[in-house]
Tab-separated table of all heavy atoms in Angstrom:
chain	number	residue	atom	x	y	z
A	98	TYR	N	-1.951	1.717	-34.905
A	98	TYR	CA	-3.015	1.539	-35.886
A	98	TYR	C	-3.724	0.214	-35.676
A	98	TYR	O	-3.088	-0.830	-35.570
A	98	TYR	CB	-2.414	1.608	-37.294
A	98	TYR	CG	-3.398	1.307	-38.390
A	98	TYR	CD1	-4.564	2.047	-38.527
A	98	TYR	CD2	-3.165	0.278	-39.284
A	98	TYR	CE1	-5.476	1.766	-39.528
A	98	TYR	CE2	-4.068	-0.001	-40.299
A	98	TYR	CZ	-5.222	0.738	-40.409
A	98	TYR	OH	-6.118	0.455	-41.398
A	99	ASP	N	-5.054	0.260	-35.608
A	99	ASP	CA	-5.879	-0.931	-35.474
A	99	ASP	C	-6.506	-1.235	-36.837
A	99	ASP	O	-7.418	-0.530	-37.271
A	99	ASP	CB	-6.952	-0.708	-34.412
A	99	ASP	CG	-7.859	-1.916	-34.220
A	99	ASP	OD1	-7.566	-2.990	-34.801
A	99	ASP	OD2	-8.861	-1.794	-33.501
A	100	VAL	N	-6.000	-2.266	-37.494
A	100	VAL	CA	-6.480	-2.623	-38.830
A	100	VAL	C	-7.969	-2.979	-38.795
A	100	VAL	O	-8.708	-2.655	-39.722
A	100	VAL	CB	-5.653	-3.798	-39.419
A	100	VAL	CG1	-6.223	-4.263	-40.746
A	100	VAL	CG2	-4.200	-3.400	-39.592
A	101	ALA	N	-8.416	-3.620	-37.720
A	101	ALA	CA	-9.821	-4.055	-37.639
A	101	ALA	C	-10.797	-2.878	-37.628
A	101	ALA	O	-11.831	-2.921	-38.293
A	101	ALA	CB	-10.027	-4.931	-36.405
A	102	SER	N	-10.467	-1.820	-36.878
A	102	SER	CA	-11.397	-0.687	-36.758
A	102	SER	C	-11.073	0.455	-37.715
A	102	SER	O	-11.917	1.315	-37.960
A	102	SER	CB	-11.386	-0.145	-35.330
A	102	SER	OG	-10.150	0.499	-35.053
A	103	GLY	N	-9.848	0.500	-38.204
A	103	GLY	CA	-9.428	1.611	-39.051
A	103	GLY	C	-9.069	2.861	-38.262
A	103	GLY	O	-8.906	3.940	-38.824
A	104	LYS	N	-8.915	2.727	-36.946
A	104	LYS	CA	-8.570	3.878	-36.105
A	104	LYS	C	-7.066	3.940	-35.890
A	104	LYS	O	-6.390	2.921	-35.770
A	104	LYS	CB	-9.289	3.799	-34.764
A	104	LYS	CG	-10.782	3.957	-34.916
A	104	LYS	CD	-11.489	3.938	-33.592
A	104	LYS	CE	-12.989	4.120	-33.853
A	104	LYS	NZ	-13.768	4.019	-32.647
A	105	MET	N	-6.565	5.180	-35.828
A	105	MET	CA	-5.135	5.392	-35.659
A	105	MET	C	-4.897	6.514	-34.660
A	105	MET	O	-5.634	7.495	-34.631
A	105	MET	CB	-4.500	5.752	-37.010
A	105	MET	CG	-3.007	6.006	-36.941
A	105	MET	SD	-2.308	6.465	-38.549
A	105	MET	CE	-2.093	4.854	-39.254
A	106	TYR	N	-3.865	6.321	-33.849
A	106	TYR	CA	-3.408	7.318	-32.882
A	106	TYR	C	-1.925	7.498	-33.047
A	106	TYR	O	-1.226	6.554	-33.418
A	106	TYR	CB	-3.622	6.821	-31.437
A	106	TYR	CG	-5.035	6.667	-31.009
A	106	TYR	CD1	-5.786	5.554	-31.361
A	106	TYR	CD2	-5.632	7.637	-30.225
A	106	TYR	CE1	-7.090	5.413	-30.953
A	106	TYR	CE2	-6.941	7.509	-29.802
A	106	TYR	CZ	-7.662	6.398	-30.174
A	106	TYR	OH	-8.957	6.257	-29.766
A	107	PHE	N	-1.444	8.681	-32.742
A	107	PHE	CA	-0.016	8.820	-32.495
A	107	PHE	C	0.126	8.754	-30.990
A	107	PHE	O	-0.635	9.388	-30.252
A	107	PHE	CB	0.554	10.147	-33.013
A	107	PHE	CG	2.023	10.259	-32.738
A	107	PHE	CD1	2.934	9.574	-33.527
A	107	PHE	CD2	2.487	10.996	-31.665
A	107	PHE	CE1	4.297	9.635	-33.251
A	107	PHE	CE2	3.841	11.060	-31.384
A	107	PHE	CZ	4.752	10.385	-32.186
A	108	ARG	N	1.086	7.977	-30.524
A	108	ARG	CA	1.250	7.822	-29.083
A	108	ARG	C	2.726	7.877	-28.727
A	108	ARG	O	3.571	7.373	-29.461
A	108	ARG	CB	0.656	6.494	-28.648
A	108	ARG	CG	0.660	6.300	-27.163
A	108	ARG	CD	-0.182	5.149	-26.679
A	108	ARG	NE	-0.289	4.018	-27.566
A	108	ARG	CZ	-0.372	2.764	-27.154
A	108	ARG	NH1	-0.358	2.480	-25.879
A	108	ARG	NH2	-0.487	1.779	-28.010
A	109	MET	N	2.994	8.516	-27.607
A	109	MET	CA	4.346	8.479	-27.048
A	109	MET	C	4.244	8.357	-25.544
A	109	MET	O	3.267	8.805	-24.937
A	109	MET	CB	5.188	9.675	-27.483
A	109	MET	CG	4.677	11.026	-27.109
A	109	MET	SD	5.633	12.390	-27.850
A	109	MET	CE	7.303	11.954	-27.516
A	110	THR	N	5.249	7.726	-24.967
A	110	THR	CA	5.236	7.469	-23.534
A	110	THR	C	6.571	7.858	-22.920
A	110	THR	O	7.587	7.982	-23.621
A	110	THR	CB	4.976	5.979	-23.242
A	110	THR	OG1	6.034	5.206	-23.809
A	110	THR	CG2	3.643	5.526	-23.798
A	111	ASN	N	6.532	8.056	-21.618
A	111	ASN	CA	7.758	8.321	-20.862
A	111	ASN	C	7.521	7.815	-19.442
A	111	ASN	O	6.518	8.159	-18.822
A	111	ASN	CB	8.075	9.820	-20.854
A	111	ASN	CG	9.505	10.111	-20.501
A	111	ASN	OD1	10.226	9.258	-19.991
A	111	ASN	ND2	9.921	11.329	-20.758
A	112	SER	N	8.429	7.019	-18.949
A	112	SER	CA	8.328	6.507	-17.592
A	112	SER	C	8.810	7.559	-16.601
A	112	SER	O	9.720	8.321	-16.901
A	112	SER	CB	9.185	5.249	-17.459
A	112	SER	OG	9.269	4.851	-16.109
A	113	PHE	N	8.170	7.593	-15.427
A	113	PHE	CA	8.695	8.451	-14.365
A	113	PHE	C	9.154	7.620	-13.166
A	113	PHE	O	9.219	8.097	-12.047
A	113	PHE	CB	7.711	9.567	-13.972
A	113	PHE	CG	6.323	9.134	-13.605
A	113	PHE	CD1	6.019	8.714	-12.312
A	113	PHE	CD2	5.302	9.181	-14.541
A	113	PHE	CE1	4.736	8.346	-11.964
A	113	PHE	CE2	4.005	8.815	-14.196
A	113	PHE	CZ	3.715	8.395	-12.906
A	114	VAL	N	9.523	6.368	-13.429
A	114	VAL	CA	10.051	5.503	-12.380
A	114	VAL	C	11.387	6.060	-11.906
A	114	VAL	O	12.307	6.257	-12.706
A	114	VAL	CB	10.243	4.054	-12.884
A	114	VAL	CG1	10.930	3.197	-11.826
A	114	VAL	CG2	8.917	3.452	-13.297
A	115	GLY	N	11.479	6.368	-10.627
A	115	GLY	CA	12.735	6.815	-10.044
A	115	GLY	C	13.296	8.091	-10.633
A	115	GLY	O	14.498	8.310	-10.603
A	116	SER	N	12.433	8.928	-11.192
A	116	SER	CA	12.945	10.150	-11.807
A	116	SER	C	11.988	11.307	-11.568
A	116	SER	O	10.820	11.125	-11.261
A	116	SER	CB	13.157	9.950	-13.312
A	116	SER	OG	11.964	9.573	-13.935
A	117	THR	N	12.530	12.481	-11.723
A	117	THR	CA	11.734	13.695	-11.621
A	117	THR	C	11.510	14.208	-13.035
A	117	THR	O	12.459	14.384	-13.784
A	117	THR	CB	12.479	14.759	-10.790
A	117	THR	OG1	12.735	14.218	-9.495
A	117	THR	CG2	11.658	16.024	-10.673
A	118	ILE	N	10.253	14.414	-13.377
A	118	ILE	CA	9.902	14.932	-14.704
A	118	ILE	C	9.742	16.441	-14.577
A	118	ILE	O	8.909	16.919	-13.808
A	118	ILE	CB	8.602	14.291	-15.225
A	118	ILE	CG1	8.738	12.767	-15.323
A	118	ILE	CG2	8.198	14.910	-16.565
A	118	ILE	CD1	9.738	12.273	-16.334
A	119	GLY	N	10.554	17.173	-15.329
A	119	GLY	CA	10.491	18.620	-15.291
A	119	GLY	C	9.690	19.187	-16.443
A	119	GLY	O	9.256	18.470	-17.349
A	120	GLU	N	9.525	20.492	-16.399
A	120	GLU	CA	8.762	21.170	-17.453
A	120	GLU	C	9.411	21.020	-18.823
A	120	GLU	O	8.716	20.949	-19.836
A	120	GLU	CB	8.598	22.656	-17.117
A	120	GLU	CG	7.609	22.893	-15.989
A	120	GLU	CD	7.375	24.373	-15.745
A	120	GLU	OE1	7.030	25.081	-16.710
A	120	GLU	OE2	7.540	24.806	-14.590
A	121	GLU	N	10.747	20.970	-18.875
A	121	GLU	CA	11.418	20.799	-20.167
A	121	GLU	C	11.029	19.484	-20.811
A	121	GLU	O	10.807	19.422	-22.023
A	121	GLU	CB	12.931	20.877	-19.998
A	121	GLU	CG	13.448	22.280	-19.759
A	121	GLU	CD	14.972	22.324	-19.675
A	121	GLU	OE1	15.643	21.495	-20.324
A	121	GLU	OE2	15.475	23.197	-18.956
A	122	THR	N	10.948	18.424	-20.021
A	122	THR	CA	10.550	17.123	-20.552
A	122	THR	C	9.106	17.160	-21.040
A	122	THR	O	8.801	16.663	-22.125
A	122	THR	CB	10.724	16.020	-19.489
A	122	THR	OG1	12.109	15.941	-19.140
A	122	THR	CG2	10.241	14.670	-19.987
A	123	CYS	N	8.227	17.759	-20.261
A	123	CYS	CA	6.822	17.869	-20.664
A	123	CYS	C	6.687	18.647	-21.967
A	123	CYS	O	5.983	18.222	-22.893
A	123	CYS	CB	6.002	18.533	-19.554
A	123	CYS	SG	5.926	17.601	-18.015
A	124	ALA	N	7.359	19.784	-22.052
A	124	ALA	CA	7.291	20.611	-23.260
A	124	ALA	C	7.880	19.866	-24.456
A	124	ALA	O	7.335	19.917	-25.561
A	124	ALA	CB	8.013	21.933	-23.033
A	125	HIS	N	8.980	19.165	-24.216
A	125	HIS	CA	9.614	18.393	-25.298
A	125	HIS	C	8.660	17.328	-25.834
A	125	HIS	O	8.497	17.197	-27.055
A	125	HIS	CB	10.913	17.748	-24.800
A	125	HIS	CG	11.520	16.813	-25.786
A	125	HIS	ND1	12.243	17.249	-26.873
A	125	HIS	CD2	11.493	15.456	-25.866
A	125	HIS	CE1	12.640	16.199	-27.580
A	125	HIS	NE2	12.198	15.105	-26.992
A	126	MET	N	8.030	16.581	-24.940
A	126	MET	CA	7.086	15.550	-25.383
A	126	MET	C	5.957	16.160	-26.200
A	126	MET	O	5.581	15.638	-27.255
A	126	MET	CB	6.511	14.797	-24.177
A	126	MET	CG	7.492	13.903	-23.463
A	126	MET	SD	6.732	13.009	-22.085
A	126	MET	CE	5.744	11.784	-22.980
A	127	LEU	N	5.429	17.258	-25.723
A	127	LEU	CA	4.324	17.927	-26.409
A	127	LEU	C	4.749	18.417	-27.800
A	127	LEU	O	4.029	18.235	-28.784
A	127	LEU	CB	3.842	19.089	-25.549
A	127	LEU	CG	2.482	19.671	-25.809
A	127	LEU	CD1	1.393	18.625	-25.752
A	127	LEU	CD2	2.201	20.778	-24.801
A	128	MET	N	5.923	19.023	-27.882
A	128	MET	CA	6.396	19.556	-29.164
A	128	MET	C	6.727	18.432	-30.155
A	128	MET	O	6.441	18.560	-31.352
A	128	MET	CB	7.607	20.460	-28.959
A	128	MET	CG	7.312	21.729	-28.174
A	128	MET	SD	5.901	22.658	-28.828
A	128	MET	CE	5.018	23.018	-27.335
A	129	VAL	N	7.309	17.337	-29.667
A	129	VAL	CA	7.600	16.206	-30.554
A	129	VAL	C	6.296	15.613	-31.075
A	129	VAL	O	6.172	15.327	-32.274
A	129	VAL	CB	8.462	15.138	-29.840
A	129	VAL	CG1	8.514	13.839	-30.650
A	129	VAL	CG2	9.875	15.667	-29.598
A	130	LEU	N	5.323	15.455	-30.195
A	130	LEU	CA	4.026	14.935	-30.633
A	130	LEU	C	3.438	15.831	-31.723
A	130	LEU	O	3.055	15.355	-32.791
A	130	LEU	CB	3.055	14.824	-29.453
A	130	LEU	CG	1.650	14.341	-29.831
A	130	LEU	CD1	1.125	13.362	-28.805
A	130	LEU	CD2	0.688	15.496	-29.987
A	131	CYS	N	3.383	17.123	-31.457
A	131	CYS	CA	2.778	18.048	-32.432
A	131	CYS	C	3.532	18.048	-33.756
A	131	CYS	O	2.912	18.004	-34.826
A	131	CYS	CB	2.711	19.459	-31.851
A	131	CYS	SG	1.500	19.633	-30.529
A	132	ALA	N	4.846	18.093	-33.703
A	132	ALA	CA	5.640	18.128	-34.938
A	132	ALA	C	5.469	16.840	-35.737
A	132	ALA	O	5.333	16.876	-36.968
A	132	ALA	CB	7.110	18.367	-34.604
A	133	THR	N	5.458	15.716	-35.059
A	133	THR	CA	5.342	14.430	-35.754
A	133	THR	C	3.954	14.253	-36.350
A	133	THR	O	3.816	13.874	-37.518
A	133	THR	CB	5.670	13.270	-34.801
A	133	THR	OG1	6.964	13.481	-34.218
A	133	THR	CG2	5.668	11.938	-35.531
A	134	VAL	N	2.926	14.544	-35.574
A	134	VAL	CA	1.558	14.415	-36.085
A	134	VAL	C	1.344	15.370	-37.252
A	134	VAL	O	0.807	14.989	-38.295
A	134	VAL	CB	0.522	14.637	-34.965
A	134	VAL	CG1	-0.898	14.742	-35.528
A	134	VAL	CG2	0.608	13.513	-33.930
A	135	ASP	N	1.806	16.606	-37.102
A	135	ASP	CA	1.625	17.597	-38.168
A	135	ASP	C	2.369	17.183	-39.441
A	135	ASP	O	1.888	17.417	-40.548
A	135	ASP	CB	2.096	18.970	-37.694
A	135	ASP	CG	1.674	20.082	-38.635
A	135	ASP	OD1	0.527	20.037	-39.146
A	135	ASP	OD2	2.473	20.999	-38.866
A	136	ARG	N	3.511	16.550	-39.280
A	136	ARG	CA	4.306	16.128	-40.443
A	136	ARG	C	3.605	15.041	-41.256
A	136	ARG	O	3.710	15.011	-42.474
A	136	ARG	CB	5.670	15.624	-39.968
A	136	ARG	CG	6.566	15.116	-41.066
A	136	ARG	CD	7.918	14.687	-40.521
A	136	ARG	NE	8.714	14.040	-41.548
A	136	ARG	CZ	9.800	13.332	-41.296
A	136	ARG	NH1	10.250	13.209	-40.051
A	136	ARG	NH2	10.456	12.755	-42.283
A	137	PHE	N	2.871	14.148	-40.570
A	137	PHE	CA	2.346	12.966	-41.260
A	137	PHE	C	0.825	12.885	-41.370
A	137	PHE	O	0.321	12.128	-42.199
A	137	PHE	CB	2.856	11.689	-40.572
A	137	PHE	CG	4.339	11.519	-40.668
A	137	PHE	CD1	5.142	11.711	-39.561
A	137	PHE	CD2	4.943	11.174	-41.876
A	137	PHE	CE1	6.521	11.564	-39.644
A	137	PHE	CE2	6.313	11.021	-41.969
A	137	PHE	CZ	7.109	11.226	-40.850
A	138	ASN	N	0.057	13.621	-40.552
A	138	ASN	CA	-1.388	13.385	-40.524
A	138	ASN	C	-2.078	13.632	-41.861
A	138	ASN	O	-2.962	12.873	-42.261
A	138	ASN	CB	-2.077	14.144	-39.380
A	138	ASN	CG	-1.956	15.646	-39.459
A	138	ASN	OD1	-1.410	16.221	-40.401
A	138	ASN	ND2	-2.466	16.317	-38.432
A	139	ASP	N	-1.676	14.677	-42.580
A	139	ASP	CA	-2.321	14.957	-43.864
A	139	ASP	C	-1.980	13.893	-44.904
A	139	ASP	O	-2.836	13.476	-45.689
A	139	ASP	CB	-1.970	16.354	-44.365
A	139	ASP	CG	-0.472	16.575	-44.531
A	139	ASP	OD1	0.322	16.037	-43.723
A	139	ASP	OD2	-0.077	17.302	-45.470
A	140	LYS	N	-0.730	13.424	-44.894
A	140	LYS	CA	-0.329	12.376	-45.846
A	140	LYS	C	-1.052	11.063	-45.536
A	140	LYS	O	-1.486	10.354	-46.447
A	140	LYS	CB	1.183	12.174	-45.794
A	140	LYS	CG	1.990	13.356	-46.306
A	140	LYS	CD	3.486	13.049	-46.200
A	140	LYS	CE	4.331	14.180	-46.751
A	140	LYS	NZ	4.758	15.117	-45.741
A	141	LEU	N	-1.183	10.744	-44.235
A	141	LEU	CA	-1.901	9.529	-43.852
A	141	LEU	C	-3.375	9.625	-44.219
A	141	LEU	O	-3.978	8.641	-44.674
A	141	LEU	CB	-1.723	9.265	-42.352
A	141	LEU	CG	-0.306	8.860	-41.931
A	141	LEU	CD1	-0.144	8.960	-40.416
A	141	LEU	CD2	0.040	7.462	-42.424
A	142	LEU	N	-3.963	10.805	-44.051
A	142	LEU	CA	-5.345	11.013	-44.468
A	142	LEU	C	-5.493	10.748	-45.966
A	142	LEU	O	-6.441	10.078	-46.401
A	142	LEU	CB	-5.807	12.444	-44.142
A	142	LEU	CG	-7.177	12.846	-44.688
A	142	LEU	CD1	-8.290	12.006	-44.061
A	142	LEU	CD2	-7.432	14.330	-44.450
A	143	CYS	N	-4.563	11.245	-46.754
A	143	CYS	CA	-4.623	11.044	-48.206
A	143	CYS	C	-4.538	9.563	-48.575
A	143	CYS	O	-5.243	9.102	-49.476
A	143	CYS	CB	-3.516	11.837	-48.897
A	143	CYS	SG	-3.807	13.623	-48.897
A	144	VAL	N	-3.703	8.796	-47.877
A	144	VAL	CA	-3.638	7.346	-48.111
A	144	VAL	C	-4.975	6.715	-47.735
A	144	VAL	O	-5.514	5.890	-48.478
A	144	VAL	CB	-2.484	6.690	-47.308
A	144	VAL	CG1	-2.562	5.164	-47.394
A	144	VAL	CG2	-1.140	7.181	-47.802
A	145	SER	N	-5.533	7.119	-46.600
A	145	SER	CA	-6.774	6.501	-46.114
A	145	SER	C	-7.947	6.749	-47.048
A	145	SER	O	-8.870	5.943	-47.109
A	145	SER	CB	-7.110	6.993	-44.708
A	145	SER	OG	-7.687	8.277	-44.735
A	146	LYS	N	-7.917	7.855	-47.768
A	146	LYS	CA	-9.006	8.206	-48.682
A	146	LYS	C	-8.705	7.814	-50.134
A	146	LYS	O	-9.509	8.067	-51.025
A	146	LYS	CB	-9.289	9.720	-48.627
A	146	LYS	CG	-9.714	10.218	-47.251
A	146	LYS	CD	-11.033	9.630	-46.814
A	146	LYS	CE	-11.442	10.176	-45.455
A	146	LYS	NZ	-12.446	9.349	-44.805
A	147	GLY	N	-7.513	7.260	-50.361
A	147	GLY	CA	-7.152	6.864	-51.717
A	147	GLY	C	-6.768	8.032	-52.609
A	147	GLY	O	-6.760	7.912	-53.826
A	148	LEU	N	-6.441	9.182	-52.001
A	148	LEU	CA	-6.062	10.364	-52.783
A	148	LEU	C	-4.626	10.280	-53.289
A	148	LEU	O	-4.274	10.923	-54.280
A	148	LEU	CB	-6.256	11.639	-51.947
A	148	LEU	CG	-7.688	11.869	-51.446
A	148	LEU	CD1	-7.747	13.056	-50.497
A	148	LEU	CD2	-8.643	12.050	-52.620
A	149	ILE	N	-3.798	9.521	-52.583
A	149	ILE	CA	-2.460	9.196	-53.070
A	149	ILE	C	-2.252	7.698	-52.886
A	149	ILE	O	-2.858	7.074	-51.999
A	149	ILE	CB	-1.323	9.988	-52.359
A	149	ILE	CG1	-1.258	9.660	-50.862
A	149	ILE	CG2	-1.447	11.475	-52.598
A	149	ILE	CD1	-0.043	10.242	-50.144
A	150	SER	N	-1.402	7.134	-53.720
A	150	SER	CA	-1.127	5.701	-53.620
A	150	SER	C	-0.135	5.448	-52.483
A	150	SER	O	0.550	6.369	-52.022
A	150	SER	CB	-0.547	5.178	-54.935
A	150	SER	OG	0.765	5.705	-55.121
A	151	LEU	N	-0.048	4.204	-52.071
A	151	LEU	CA	0.931	3.820	-51.058
A	151	LEU	C	2.336	4.150	-51.549
A	151	LEU	O	3.163	4.663	-50.795
A	151	LEU	CB	0.801	2.338	-50.718
A	151	LEU	CG	1.815	1.800	-49.714
A	151	LEU	CD1	1.696	2.521	-48.368
A	151	LEU	CD2	1.627	0.295	-49.544
A	152	GLU	N	2.593	3.895	-52.810
A	152	GLU	CA	3.916	4.177	-53.382
A	152	GLU	C	4.235	5.666	-53.326
A	152	GLU	O	5.355	6.056	-52.973
A	152	GLU	CB	4.006	3.664	-54.833
A	152	GLU	CG	3.973	2.159	-54.957
A	152	GLU	CD	2.590	1.524	-54.732
A	152	GLU	OE1	1.537	2.227	-54.839
A	152	GLU	OE2	2.558	0.321	-54.410
A	153	GLN	N	3.253	6.507	-53.648
A	153	GLN	CA	3.455	7.960	-53.557
A	153	GLN	C	3.723	8.372	-52.114
A	153	GLN	O	4.586	9.212	-51.846
A	153	GLN	CB	2.227	8.711	-54.092
A	153	GLN	CG	2.065	8.631	-55.591
A	153	GLN	CD	0.707	9.173	-56.034
A	153	GLN	OE1	-0.337	8.852	-55.470
A	153	GLN	NE2	0.732	10.028	-57.053
Side-chain angles (χ1 to χ4, degrees):
Y98 174 57
D99 180 8
V100 175
S102 70
K104 293 182 179 176
M105 180 181 277
Y106 293 80
F107 180 77
R108 185 167 32 145
M109 60 187 312
T110 62
N111 199 345
S112 171
F113 53 85
V114 174
S116 58
T117 301
I118 301 295
E120 287 185 54
E121 286 183 30
T122 298
C123 296
H125 173 78
M126 290 182 73
L127 198 55
M128 295 309 134
V129 168
L130 178 139
C131 289
T133 305
V134 170
D135 192 40
R136 178 178 173 194
F137 295 107
N138 62 4
D139 58 325
K140 293 180 178 94
L141 291 166
L142 173 64
C143 288
V144 171
S145 78
K146 299 296 181 199
L148 301 173
I149 63 171
S150 69
L151 177 61
E152 292 74 20
Q153 289 170 313

